[in-house]
Amino acid sequence: MDYKSYIAERLAAEGVSAREIAESIAVPPDPAMGDFALPCFKFAKVMRKSPVAIAEELKNAYPTDEVIGEVSAVNGYLNFKVNRRGLAEDVLLRIFKEGARYGASDLGAGKTVCIDYSSVNIAKPFHIGHLSTTVLGGALYRIFNFLGYHAVGINHLGDYGTQFGKLISAYKRWGKKDEVEKGGIHAINALYVRFNEEADEEMEREARENFRLIESGDKEANELFEWFKSLTLAYVKTIYERLHITFDSYLGERFYTDKMQPVVDELKEKGLLKESEGAQIVDLEPYGMPPCLILRSDGASLYATRDLAAAIYRKNTYDFDKCLYVVAYQQNLHFKQFFKVLELMGKEWAKDLVHIAYGMVSLEDGAMSTRKGKVVWLEDVITKCVEKAYAVIDEKNSALENKREVAEKVGVGAVVFGALYNNKIKDITFSYDKALNFDGETSVYVQYTCARAASVLAKARAEGYAWSAEDVSEPCPQEFELLKALGEFPEIVRAAAEKYEPSYVARFCVDSAQKFNKFYFDCKILQAEEGVRAFRLALTEATLTVLTNALTLLGIGVPEKM
């Protein structure tokens, strides 16, 4: 049950909607005050009464029932205590009935959400800076699908520009086919870095000519380009598989080559295109922004040109309700500009475009991606984290079966969780030791909690374990706090989608794991008397189900043993 909505629908507040009330209801910091609280201060202006008077009036009008057992008004707050046994039965029955679908809904039925994320560059390996866009976008993709939306994952490949001309020049000068085939993307990148280190004016001219040959359809140039692209995709798909990332489209910048001219023509027809120092721009000064460059003085297109064409293509192809762009905050201005241009073009759906900005990722020593080949490769970070996870697991439980498989789930999970735990806009300093802390606010802690619950259940099933609603008893404080947390999961998932914040789910994981562990240590489970034992085992199984669902939404595996 969504208790906040249940309470809100039964509160008749003049001039205030049930939705506004539900959104204002919070969980008090002190459980003694109540299970839910409604601060009435924000309604004082609308209702023209003091918060204290509003709280008292609402308390007197609220119809207590089998769900809400007690209502009190204290200093402008309306506090609610739910029927504890009723909540326990409601939460457990829903979790057991829905299982892996608990927390899911049909909220987005019939609606499409396009999510542009990761956007790998052809011929360039993933560095640590690609982590956030990849796992943040992947989590949103799973969350929206879980809520019934048709999510379309788009990898907008960086496959356009003079850098590919440089790469062809570098390969023709220094490359050998067998060495590149063997070395893959790292061999290609080494050639690209060497070109930039040694390039003179003649080499730069040659690179521009090679890119012109690609654009004009030259057979040799395009065969080389497609080869570089195939090597890149083969490489990145191994990373995506480890991170549990999938896409529905790999259409990149090059795909929009023949779709940009219609955009330019439309801008001209609508009187939006102006010449400035030989370049073609859309003047955005009246809106407090620099001009949006559409064509350079030499007639070449820019990012904005291709992004305008891509947005129009996606609307025509998918008829999306929202189109999300998971791109670092450094591109804030770019997205404001091209969204505004679409709005000026009369595209009423421009309001449905959302830039999901995020912060930067660096390692503890300050290392992150830089120029001239000095980069921290994402694959190296993942592999190192998995190796460290293996060492920790081997030390803690050397007899564990499938240690390599478990270490992969733990190590990869630590990398993903480290990027998703905090608010997306915050810069992240990744620490291997902190990420793999079994007692910290980490995925490892949550995974270990799941393994602990699975171990209890395995022993119970070996002895014979069955549960029914009749076994529900009045929950003790530890049981009730855990049940209340599990009951909030569907609301957490909806909020994560609404705010584009997978961190809500990540924090839910840690909070619920902490509540389970308090219950585990304070309350006997297997040794409890028969009726209580069945109830506590049911609560243990429900916790494992919900934490598994939550970690799965984040793209993190759940080992059965650790």
Side-chain angles (χ1 to χ4, degrees):
M1 177 181 294
D2 182 347
Y3 284 88
K4 293 181 181 180
S5 295
Y6 183 89
I7 292 168
E9 287 166 4
R10 282 155 183 76
L11 281 176
E14 186 179 346
V16 183
S17 69
R19 180 182 174 85
E20 288 177 289
I21 293 173
E23 290 176 347
S24 301
I25 294 173
V27 177
D30 181 2
M33 298 170 64
D35 301 313
F36 298 99
L38 174 67
C40 298
F41 306 93
K42 67 181 291 186
F43 308 133
K45 187 174 181 180
V46 175
M47 299 180 70
R48 298 183 179 181
K49 297 175 185 177
S50 72
V52 173
I54 294 171
E56 192 66 33
E57 181 182 313
L58 293 176
K59 182 201 80 170
N60 293 332
Y62 190 87
T64 55
D65 54 22
E66 72 281 358
V67 177
I68 303 298
E70 183 183 329
V71 183
S72 61
V74 182
N75 299 326
Y77 285 86
L78 193 62
N79 298 325
F80 303 86
K81 285 190 175 181
V82 305
N83 180 311
R84 278 148 167 68
R85 190 183 186 285
L87 179 141
E89 186 173 329
D90 172 62
V91 171
L92 291 177
L93 286 175
R94 279 191 297 140
I95 294 172
F96 283 116
K97 178 182 178 183
E98 298 172 24
R101 295 293 296 167
Y102 177 68
S105 77
D106 59 359
L107 181 69
K111 297 179 180 178
T112 296
V113 176
C114 291
I115 309 175
D116 180 330
Y117 62 105
S118 199
S119 300
V120 62
N121 291 312
I122 298 303
K124 292 184 181 179
F126 269 177
H127 56 69
I128 189 69
H130 287 104
L131 175 62
S132 289
T133 177
T134 303
V135 300
L136 179 58
L140 290 172
Y141 178 81
R142 285 183 289 271
I143 288 169
F144 276 103
N145 272 322
F146 199 57
L147 292 176
Y149 291 84
H150 173 219
V152 181
I154 299 173
N155 197 324
H156 188 64
L157 298 177
D159 58 0
Y160 192 92
T162 55
Q163 66 266 34
F164 301 110
K166 293 179 180 180
L167 192 55
I168 289 174
S169 292
Y171 176 71
K172 286 185 172 181
R173 287 172 180 270
W174 308 301
K176 294 181 180 178
K177 183 165 184 170
D178 57 343
E179 291 179 358
V180 172
E181 287 280 4
K182 183 179 179 180
I185 196 167
H186 290 290
I188 302 172
N189 186 254
L191 290 171
Y192 181 72
V193 170
R194 182 175 177 181
F195 182 94
N196 284 320
E197 289 174 342
E198 300 184 19
D200 54 22
E201 188 174 329
E202 173 58 25
M203 290 170 67
E204 293 285 359
R205 186 202 64 75
E206 180 184 283
R208 288 193 294 273
E209 173 59 17
N210 282 329
F211 179 57
R212 188 194 68 77
L213 290 172
I214 294 174
E215 288 193 296
S216 64
D218 178 78
K219 185 174 183 294
E220 182 189 20
N222 275 279
E223 283 177 351
L224 285 172
F225 173 81
E226 290 299 331
W227 179 44
F228 298 147
K229 181 176 179 178
S230 67
L231 290 172
T232 303
L233 291 180
Y235 157 80
V236 298
K237 283 179 180 178
T238 63
I239 304 295
Y240 289 144
E241 285 174 6
R242 296 187 81 178
L243 295 173
H244 309 291
I245 298 293
T246 57
F247 293 96
D248 302 293
S249 168
Y250 279 89
L251 297 180
E253 294 181 81
R254 194 177 181 210
F255 175 78
Y256 300 100
T257 302
D258 62 350
K259 296 169 180 59
M260 290 184 283
Q261 190 58 47
V263 174
V264 175
D265 292 342
E266 186 174 347
L267 288 169
K268 285 180 182 176
E269 289 168 10
K270 293 181 175 176
L272 294 170
L273 209 58
K274 297 181 180 179
E275 185 174 322
S276 175
E277 298 179 9
Q280 298 293 312
I281 67 162
V282 174
D283 182 16
L284 298 179
E285 187 176 347
Y287 308 98
M289 288 181 275
C292 182
L293 287 162
I294 303 299
L295 296 174
R296 290 194 315 217
S297 56
D298 62 0
S301 62
L302 293 107
Y303 284 120
T305 329
R306 296 187 284 279
D307 279 347
L308 289 167
I312 293 170
Y313 173 84
R314 290 171 189 174
K315 183 61 180 178
N316 292 338
T317 303
Y318 302 110
D319 192 23
F320 56 73
D321 292 86
K322 291 284 182 184
C323 185
L324 314 181
Y325 296 82
V326 187
V327 181
Y329 64 73
Q330 286 91 339
Q331 297 298 318
N332 282 353
L333 177 60
H334 167 74
F335 284 99
K336 286 179 181 177
Q337 286 179 309
F338 109 74
F339 291 175
K340 175 55 84 172
V341 171
L342 285 167
E343 181 186 324
L344 294 173
M345 292 172 74
K347 311 297 183 187
E348 57 85 22
W349 48 265
K351 64 180 177 20
D352 301 321
L353 306 179
V354 183
H355 174 208
I356 311 296
Y358 60 83
M360 293 290 96
V361 180
S362 62
L363 299 182
E364 281 187 303
D365 61 4
M368 59 188 300
S369 66
T370 59
R371 294 183 178 181
K372 299 184 178 179
K374 297 178 182 178
V375 296
V376 178
W377 303 126
L378 180 55
E379 63 184 303
D380 292 342
V381 173
I382 295 172
T383 298
K384 185 174 180 179
C385 211
V386 169
E387 289 172 353
K388 283 180 171 289
Y390 182 85
V392 173
I393 292 167
D394 189 47
E395 180 182 345
K396 286 181 174 288
N397 188 0
S398 60
L400 179 68
E401 296 179 0
N402 304 318
K403 279 186 286 187
R404 289 292 176 191
E405 182 182 329
V406 173
E408 178 75 11
K409 289 181 179 178
V410 171
V412 171
V415 174
V416 172
F417 201 81
L420 295 179
Y421 186 65
N422 291 307
N423 183 291
K424 61 182 178 288
I425 203 62
K426 288 185 178 180
D427 289 340
I428 299 165
T429 301
F430 184 82
S431 162
Y432 293 103
D433 292 335
K434 289 179 182 177
L436 292 169
N437 186 344
F438 274 65
D439 298 314
E441 296 176 346
T442 63
S443 58
V444 186
Y445 173 73
V446 181
Q447 288 170 318
Y448 190 68
T449 300
C450 290
R452 170 173 283 157
S455 175
V456 171
L457 291 168
K459 292 175 183 175
R461 287 177 181 129
E463 299 168 3
Y465 151 56
W467 173 82
S468 69
E470 285 73 32
D471 292 316
V472 175
S473 55
E474 182 81 7
C476 69
Q478 295 91 330
E479 293 166 340
F480 181 69
E481 287 304 308
L482 175 56
L483 281 160
K484 196 163 62 169
L486 299 180
E488 291 173 357
F489 181 59
E491 182 184 338
I492 294 290
V493 178
R494 287 195 297 271
E498 185 178 326
K499 303 293 184 182
Y500 312 116
E501 270 291 1
S503 64
Y504 289 5
V505 177
R507 290 183 176 275
F508 167 86
C509 287
V510 171
D511 179 62
S512 298
Q514 289 171 340
K515 286 180 168 62
F516 173 81
N517 284 312
K518 182 168 179 54
F519 155 71
Y520 175 86
F521 286 112
D522 291 355
C523 306
K524 293 179 181 179
I525 301 176
L526 291 172
Q527 293 77 30
E529 58 189 68
E530 190 56 36
V532 175
R533 179 179 183 273
F535 172 54
R536 289 179 176 172
L537 284 169
L539 183 50
T540 300
E541 186 174 351
T543 301
L544 178 57
T545 296
V546 178
L547 286 179
T548 299
N549 290 359
L551 287 173
T552 300
L553 287 179
L554 299 178
I556 297 172
V558 183
E560 292 183 11
K561 297 180 181 180
M562 282 180 66

